[in-house]
Amino acid sequence: MGVFFSIIIPVYNGEQYIKNCLDSIYRQGLGDDVFEVICVNDCSTDNTAQVISEYGKFHQNLRLINHETNRRQGGARNTAVKVAKGKYILYLDQDDVFESGALKKVFSEIRSTEGVDILMCDEVLVEDGKRRTYFYLNNSREEMAGRSFLKKNEIPWAPWLFVYRRDFLIINHLSFAEKVRFEDTDYVINNVRLALRIKYVPILLYNHTVSRYQTSRIESDKNKITDLFKMCNRIKCLAIEEAGIDAETAQIIAGHHLFMYRANILRYWWRLSYKDRKELLVTYKPMLPCKDKLVSFIGRYPRLFLMASTVVKPLLPGLRYVYLKIKDRKSSLL
């Protein structure tokens, strides 16, 4: 049968996580001939590579690739896809694990569908030792084309909740943005829209751990916030491209763009200096026209919004304090 799964793990300074991550793969109950594991070391400065090499002494299907320059998660995944031998690709982060027994279920499901391009699954979110299960049970379980899937179903912005047929990725030249901190949402949307055959199955595949040390922790980091706006802009470009193919799908993709743009403004943008806020507003404009009044105002009157934000910004900590106090009081009365 040959290698069925290629499991791709980008690694960077993950010596404390990677063994647990690998253990979750090799305890799935699949024979080593069914899958391969490709770890791409993105210029770690700790002992990550050594830990993987030691682990590989007991598993001939574990491969380690070392990058000469740091290309971040997107670049590491792209490197692995190019050399992968498996029929299907799965992505796994170094501090996450697969749910016990999940790969056997995915293996059986894919074999029964005979060539599906993408299979979407479910996840467990782990934060502070607590597990929260996320099932997309409102999604249709029928196999359909990607554009129909976008119109009918909810999709997560996480590439690790999908299993991809490798030939589908290669033929369509699908790859991650490189050397940026956020590369996943536009990748997922683009893959789904181009799939000829995609299906959702309620299989708990992935345990995603939320940590304060993760790249996704934004805080007031200008580079991270800028990368968020870059990803939002790539989604906008997908919507514009799709407009000439399928107007309804383009509107759905634009909805993802506008939702993210609004969230970026309200959660992170205001934390930056006046100069940096101005630069982002000028460089990364929202897609217009749109029904969102705030985003529409920002797009049409960026300078006025910038001035208003400068006046309001000093008041935000106090307003947040009052909001949290009211929220805590309501919670205590329940």
Side-chain angles (χ1 to χ4, degrees):
M1 181 178 66
V3 178
F4 195 81
F5 290 133
S6 289
I7 301 167
I8 293 171
I9 310 173
V11 293
Y12 177 77
N13 289 353
E15 62 178 345
Q16 61 180 316
Y17 310 112
I18 191 60
K19 185 180 183 300
N20 189 46
C21 176
L22 292 170
D23 283 345
S24 79
I25 299 171
Y26 286 96
R27 291 173 181 170
Q28 288 290 318
L30 291 175
D32 281 12
D33 59 329
V34 176
F35 67 96
E36 65 174 351
V37 180
I38 307 174
C39 294
V40 181
N41 177 31
D42 201 32
C43 301
S44 296
T45 57
D46 66 357
N47 295 316
T48 299
Q50 292 91 318
V51 173
I52 296 170
S53 294
E54 284 298 314
Y55 201 102
K57 291 179 180 179
F58 303 95
H59 299 282
Q60 296 300 311
N61 63 340
L62 173 59
R63 304 161 65 186
L64 174 62
I65 300 173
N66 292 298
H67 271 176
E68 294 183 359
T69 57
N70 183 280
R71 291 161 55 190
R72 296 197 174 273
Q73 284 186 317
R77 291 174 182 145
N78 291 341
T79 292
V81 170
K82 290 177 182 177
V83 301
K85 300 176 182 177
K87 188 174 182 180
Y88 282 88
I89 301 288
L90 296 102
Y91 298 116
L92 180 62
D93 284 354
Q94 63 184 13
D95 54 348
D96 294 333
V97 298
F98 285 131
E99 183 76 1
S100 179
L103 291 188
K104 271 191 171 181
K105 296 175 183 177
V106 171
F107 179 72
S108 297
E109 181 65 37
I110 291 178
R111 294 198 72 183
S112 69
T113 59
E114 297 182 357
V116 66
D117 291 326
I118 300 177
L119 193 72
M120 174 183 156
C121 301
D122 297 310
E123 72 176 324
V124 176
L125 190 67
V126 182
E127 186 171 12
D128 297 327
K130 298 179 181 179
R131 287 168 52 97
R132 286 184 289 168
T133 303
Y134 287 89
F135 284 104
Y136 293 84
L137 295 180
N138 290 327
N139 280 9
S140 168
R141 299 187 193 180
E142 296 180 10
E143 182 185 308
M144 62 188 77
R147 289 183 171 88
S148 297
F149 197 90
L150 281 171
K151 295 170 187 176
K152 296 181 179 180
N153 295 326
E154 179 183 0
I155 63 166
W157 290 351
W160 55 78
L161 289 186
F162 299 85
V163 186
Y164 310 88
R165 188 167 61 86
R166 182 178 179 273
D167 284 350
F168 161 73
L169 298 179
I170 299 300
I171 291 170
N172 289 283
H173 307 288
L174 295 165
S175 61
F176 289 92
E178 299 192 9
K179 297 183 179 181
V180 291
R181 293 160 184 80
F182 301 99
E183 72 298 309
D184 41 18
T185 305
D186 53 307
Y187 179 83
V188 167
I189 293 172
N190 198 27
N191 285 3
V192 170
R193 77 170 180 130
L194 294 178
L196 297 179
R197 299 176 59 195
I198 181 171
K199 184 180 181 182
Y200 160 72
V201 289
I203 296 174
L204 275 179
L205 171 63
Y206 201 91
N207 280 215
H208 176 53
T209 302
V210 178
S211 166
R212 63 190 179 93
Y213 301 107
Q214 288 175 320
T215 302
S216 54
R217 292 292 186 177
I218 312 298
E219 298 179 343
S220 300
D221 189 310
K222 177 193 172 184
N223 292 326
K224 290 183 178 181
I225 295 172
T226 299
D227 280 353
L228 273 176
F229 276 88
K230 286 180 179 178
M231 182 167 67
C232 189
N233 201 60
R234 293 195 300 271
I235 299 171
K236 172 185 171 182
C237 291
L238 290 177
I240 293 171
E241 179 184 317
E242 183 65 23
I245 303 170
D246 185 320
E248 187 178 353
T249 302
Q251 283 295 109
I252 292 167
I253 297 174
H256 286 274
H257 158 72
L258 294 169
F259 179 88
M260 181 178 289
Y261 190 93
R262 180 186 177 92
N264 290 346
I265 291 289
L266 294 179
R267 293 180 184 177
Y268 310 116
W269 173 84
W270 61 269
R271 302 179 185 182
L272 299 175
S273 68
Y274 177 90
K275 178 183 176 182
D276 293 337
R277 296 201 311 277
K278 180 180 179 181
E279 181 182 341
L280 287 178
L281 284 185
V282 171
T283 306
Y284 303 105
K285 298 178 180 179
M287 191 171 183
L288 297 177
C290 72
K291 295 181 180 179
D292 187 298
K293 293 182 180 179
L294 174 63
V295 176
S296 182
F297 181 83
I298 296 170
R300 295 179 186 280
Y301 309 105
R303 295 185 184 277
L304 183 58
F305 180 75
L306 181 65
M307 293 172 58
S309 72
T310 304
V311 174
V312 173
K313 185 178 179 180
L315 305 176
L316 290 177
L319 293 173
R320 177 175 172 80
Y321 176 80
V322 172
Y323 167 75
L324 292 175
K325 280 292 185 182
I326 295 173
K327 185 178 179 181
D328 289 342
R329 186 175 180 183
K330 287 183 177 179
S331 298
S332 65
L333 294 175
L334 294 178

